[in-house]
Amino acid sequence: MSESICRFIPNKRYDNDLKIIHFVYETEHHKLKQPFLRPFYYLYLVTEGDGTLKSTGGEYAISVGDIILTVPGSLYTIDGSDNLRYLYLSFSGSCVRDFLDQLGIDPVNPVHKGYERTTDFWFSAISRVTPSNASIISESVLLYTLSLIGTENESAEKKAPDSSRFDMILNYVNENYRDATLTLCKVADIFSYTEKYVSSLFKRHMEMGFNKYVNSRRIDYALRLIDKGHTSVKDIALECGYSDALYFSKVFKKKTGVTPTEMIKSK
């Protein structure tokens, strides 16, 4: 005898401004202009062939059954075999991040493997789209697919721990701390996190805030430049990522106890 199943649904209030832009079966990928830099979210389902997704976060092998999620403003390319084909949905809305957070889907990890079973569902849905039902069908495909990813991430404990996320962020900062445009806001945008979350990662793992860490790396580099014989405070500041030599001097003295000029003279 089967038993009834009852689930209490938590009350979640969202400003549901979700909008589906495209629902496409792409069979001529080789004709598309790349790299892609798009203003919407994209959810791809690979249906044939294989290839490689290249983004700021790294390179990922893709094959049949893989789902790819890209975020607005991300720069990426999809290199594939001649027979690479996929379905995709593009969508937007301020509610999307709420959906992803609720489902535990981390946009930093764009490739989700093993979803061949959804292919028939996607094809069936796109074949039934009409002007009157397009938004309902496409939204159903999107939310159902995201819910599968979220459920399997949770059940298999695939969600990357804080340490793995932080390693990616830290590597990026260590490679770019000499860039004068590097800010907490920029890093948060690149990795699709909030500034508050990125800041909390630095405090948890480095026991210091983001700005303090970046300044520390920059001043350490300044000290190496002085040891190599550099004598222009302005040039050293620019090399280390400071556009303002006076601010550089202030930060330098706070960390070392002397000004850059005094350090240069002592050498």
Side-chain angles (χ1 to χ4, degrees), residues 51-63:
T52 304
L53 168 72
K54 299 178 181 179
S55 67
T56 54
E59 295 188 10
Y60 308 84
I62 56 174
S63 57

Side-chain angles (χ1 to χ4, degrees), residues 12-262:
K12 295 283 185 180
R13 295 185 62 85
Y14 297 114
D15 293 327
N16 191 353
D17 58 350
L18 179 64
K19 181 180 180 181
I20 308 297
I21 314 300
H22 306 102
F23 192 1
V24 176
Y25 176 39
E26 182 58 70
T27 61
E28 298 183 321
H29 171 78
H30 60 284
K31 294 183 179 180
L32 300 179
K33 185 178 180 180
Q34 298 198 63
F36 300 125
L37 182 60
R38 291 163 164 168
F40 312 118
Y41 290 90
Y42 273 72
L43 190 72
Y44 299 86
L45 171 63
V46 181
T47 61
E48 188 176 342
D50 52 43
T52 304
L53 168 72
K54 299 178 181 179
S55 67
T56 54
E59 295 188 10
Y60 308 84
I62 56 174
S63 57
V64 174
D66 287 355
I67 290 175
I68 305 166
L69 174 64
T70 63
V71 299
S74 60
L75 184 68
Y76 63 97
T77 60
I78 299 178
D79 298 327
S81 55
D82 292 339
N83 66 331
L84 178 64
R85 295 184 177 186
Y86 48 77
L87 291 148
Y88 71 80
L89 286 161
S90 65
F91 53 101
S92 64
S94 60
C95 62
V96 175
R97 287 309 300 269
D98 290 330
F99 290 148
L100 297 181
D101 289 343
Q102 182 186 354
L103 293 168
I105 298 175
D106 187 351
V108 171
N109 302 311
V111 178
H112 305 270
K113 294 186 171 294
Y115 292 88
E116 294 92 337
R117 64 191 184 281
T118 66
T119 302
D120 289 343
F121 174 60
W122 278 62
F123 273 124
S124 175
I126 198 170
S127 68
R128 292 185 287 111
V129 168
T130 66
S132 61
N133 66 19
S135 60
I136 296 175
I137 288 181
S138 56
E139 184 173 324
S140 298
V141 173
L142 172 65
L143 296 180
Y144 174 70
T145 305
L146 290 179
S147 70
L148 283 181
I149 297 172
T151 300
E152 295 194 2
N153 281 352
E154 182 178 5
S155 62
E157 296 182 349
K158 293 178 181 177
K159 189 176 179 181
D162 275 354
S163 58
S164 297
R165 302 178 194 178
F166 182 68
D167 286 345
M168 291 186 288
I169 294 173
L170 185 63
N171 287 338
Y172 179 83
V173 172
N174 286 340
E175 291 175 359
N176 295 277
Y177 67 88
R178 292 167 56 196
D179 181 354
T181 67
L182 184 71
T183 63
L184 176 60
C185 179
K186 181 177 181 178
V187 173
D189 285 343
I190 288 173
F191 289 92
S192 298
Y193 289 130
T194 64
E195 293 180 40
K196 183 178 179 180
Y197 179 70
V198 174
S199 180
S200 70
L201 288 178
F202 271 88
K203 290 178 181 177
R204 187 181 314 148
H205 293 279
M206 304 303 293
E207 298 184 347
M208 67 177 72
F210 174 86
N211 289 333
K212 186 174 182 179
Y213 178 79
V214 172
N215 281 330
S216 178
R217 289 302 310 269
R218 288 174 173 175
I219 299 306
D220 286 343
Y221 186 68
L223 289 170
R224 294 201 300 273
L225 292 179
I226 292 173
D227 284 339
K228 290 179 180 180
H230 291 248
T231 58
S232 169
V233 173
K234 182 178 180 180
D235 289 346
I236 293 172
L238 291 174
E239 280 289 319
C240 296
Y242 294 101
S243 56
D244 185 340
L246 291 178
Y247 178 69
F248 161 67
S249 297
K250 180 180 179 180
V251 176
F252 188 97
K253 184 174 182 179
K254 184 176 181 179
K255 180 174 173 61
T256 66
V258 295
T259 66
T261 301
E262 291 170 337

